[in-house]
Amino acid sequence: MSSNTSFFGDLLTSIADRGRALLDRNARVSGATKAATLVERCEQLLSGRGEASGVALATDILDRYARMKTGERIAFFEALAETFGPDRTRLEKAIESYGRTGSDAAAAELHLASEPRRQELFRRFNLAPGATLSLVRMREHLMDAMVLRRDLAAVDRDFGHLFSSWFNRGFLVLRRIDWSTPANVLEKIIRYEAVHAIRDWNDLRARVDSPDRRCYAFFHPALVDEPLIFVEVALTKDIPGAIAPLLDEQRELLDPEKATTAVFYSISNCQRGLGGVSFGNFLIKQVVEEISRQMPSLTTFVTLSPVPGFRTWLEAERKAEASPAITPADRETLKALDAADWAEKAEVRETLAPALAAAAAHYFLVARTNKGKPVDPVARFHLGNGARLERINPMGDLSPKGISQAAGLMVNYRYVLADIEKNHEAFAGKGEVVASAAVKKLLKGETGVRALVPIP
């Protein structure tokens, strides 16, 4: 299979090289290629001049784009937005025809006429060798530009529309990442880890090659050595409440046959240009199925998740004159967070833990965005996948990142296979946050339950 793929790739490259020579034998490659020249080439590509010239044109356009500076790229995106929208003349005729006849043929023509020309342009770009990754990178540049240029959103929507089809779940391949994985892929795992930074190769090996650790990633046939998303899994006997013991390279290793719990402690998206294309829900469910077949002793599947927006929300509640999330007594207790070294003192951590747990229960179960969704993005992800909020863990992550983002807080989401669909419907249809009884009791402020929250 790989030899056939290599042969096909070499063939495309050969066609592209020869075609470019036919297109312009005397052209000089310039790093300052103007957007206008690129637009002209795009029009040629859309006009259709044969397969060989199409491959050559697509390759030439992407090569020229790769050498563009930021301003030139933005000018190109502007042209994509203004020049390569729907063919308005064709669209008006299609609207008139459908209004007059209402026929299936007229409806089909209306559908085709309403598609922006840039979608077909992107599909033709994809004729070039390695074009899929180039287009993912192009969208990353577009996303950077959109920080100040929201008028380019239509171009971004077309990228998202096509990528949703191109990266459909049916095309994705699940692979286990271990120490035998090629070094170039392992290097990318280190680089793309977005939750708990991998310090060095020894740290990586402890995460992917220990008997009680697993790592799985989704790949796409067009991006052979580029992981799309990966998840790191710890095999344990109990549900963990803190990340440090899981990342400890000197920990006592557990025989996988004695494990009863699979802990998803880090999920990292690798390709920013594929934002909006959902992989995580499929990944978690498939990994659960995979390791369940391999290790029938596993009965519990949980995450140990960060709470990236909690500290910002908490500080806003503390500054408010009156907050339904914080009692007067807890407000006084939370003043300890203002000391730079609070996390280093065991007695301060113990005092803070109940107040943080109660505030966190309000954060997850009550606080909402303007659209009526939970304010925490990680919560929206797991609850939308059908998990339930299982446990709140004050002092779960005392790293500088954990303290700055969440005042040390982490949570467990639990995936019970029999309840996933029911939980998903409750969240998606009713906006209900499915949570354990212990979490709900924290919201009521029952001090007896607060004392049961584990404190490292």
Side-chain angles (χ1 to χ4, degrees), residues 50-323:
E51 189 72 17
S53 61
V55 172
L57 262 172
T59 304
D60 181 67
I61 290 168
L62 293 179
D63 283 351
R64 289 170 181 262
Y65 173 83
R67 296 193 297 273
M68 279 183 160
K69 298 177 182 178
T70 300
E72 293 170 339
R73 287 172 178 168
I74 293 176
F76 176 59
F77 294 145
E78 289 173 345
L80 289 177
E82 298 167 4
T83 308
F84 293 95
D87 183 329
R88 296 190 179 279
T89 301
R90 180 185 179 187
L91 180 57
E92 289 171 1
K93 289 181 179 179
I95 292 172
E96 188 277 330
S97 176
Y98 182 74
R100 179 167 41 83
T101 68
S103 67
D104 289 344
E109 170 61 15
L110 179 58
H111 173 73
L112 292 172
S114 65
E115 180 182 271
R117 294 197 307 144
R118 57 184 163 262
Q119 288 197 19
E120 178 60 23
L121 182 63
F122 294 157
R123 286 192 283 265
R124 296 197 183 195
F125 283 169
N126 211 32
L127 289 168
T132 305
L133 183 59
S134 296
L135 289 171
V136 171
R137 297 291 179 257
M138 185 183 291
R139 192 190 183 203
E140 291 177 3
H141 300 152
L142 175 61
M143 293 166 74
D144 290 338
M146 285 177 60
V147 173
L148 298 176
R149 295 294 304 273
R150 296 303 303 173
D151 56 312
L152 301 175
V155 181
D156 185 66
R157 284 195 297 270
D158 288 332
F159 269 119
H161 173 76
L162 288 176
F163 287 165
S164 293
S165 299
W166 294 357
F167 291 88
N168 180 283
R169 170 64 190 92
F171 296 123
L172 305 184
V173 178
L174 181 70
R175 294 187 205 162
R176 181 175 171 186
I177 304 296
D178 57 27
W179 207 238
S180 66
T181 299
N184 63 326
V185 176
L186 291 176
E187 287 175 347
K188 289 167 184 173
I189 296 296
I190 294 176
R191 187 192 321 151
Y192 292 140
E193 165 59 68
V195 185
H196 304 293
I198 298 174
R199 296 182 296 275
D200 51 32
W201 285 92
N202 290 332
D203 188 10
L204 175 67
R205 185 161 194 171
R207 298 195 196 192
V208 304
D209 203 45
S210 298
D212 56 353
R213 295 292 181 266
R214 299 288 187 275
C215 182
Y216 296 89
F218 267 147
F219 291 82
H220 187 280
L223 282 70
V224 179
D225 293 330
E226 282 286 343
L228 305 181
I229 185 173
F230 65 91
V231 60
E232 297 170 65
V233 186
L235 306 178
T236 66
K237 290 183 178 180
D238 303 296
I239 298 177
I243 190 62
L246 294 187
L247 299 180
D248 184 2
E249 294 177 37
Q250 306 302 319
R251 70 183 185 279
E252 183 178 348
L253 301 182
L254 178 67
D255 182 345
E257 294 184 359
K258 296 180 180 179
T260 59
T261 303
V263 184
F264 302 91
Y265 66 90
S266 180
I267 302 173
S268 297
N269 282 294
C270 306
Q271 309 299 329
R272 191 165 61 92
L274 295 177
V277 182
S278 179
F279 304 119
N281 53 345
F282 298 119
L283 178 63
I284 290 176
K285 292 170 187 175
Q286 188 162 341
V287 169
V288 168
E289 293 174 3
E290 180 82 9
I291 61 179
S292 294
R293 285 195 300 268
Q294 296 176 359
M295 290 171 280
S297 62
L298 295 175
T299 57
T300 303
F301 302 92
V302 298
T303 74
L304 181 59
S305 298
V307 191
F310 179 67
R311 184 71 183 259
T312 299
W313 172 87
L314 181 63
E315 294 306 321
E317 295 298 320
R318 289 180 60 201
K319 291 176 182 178
E321 287 188 16
S323 168

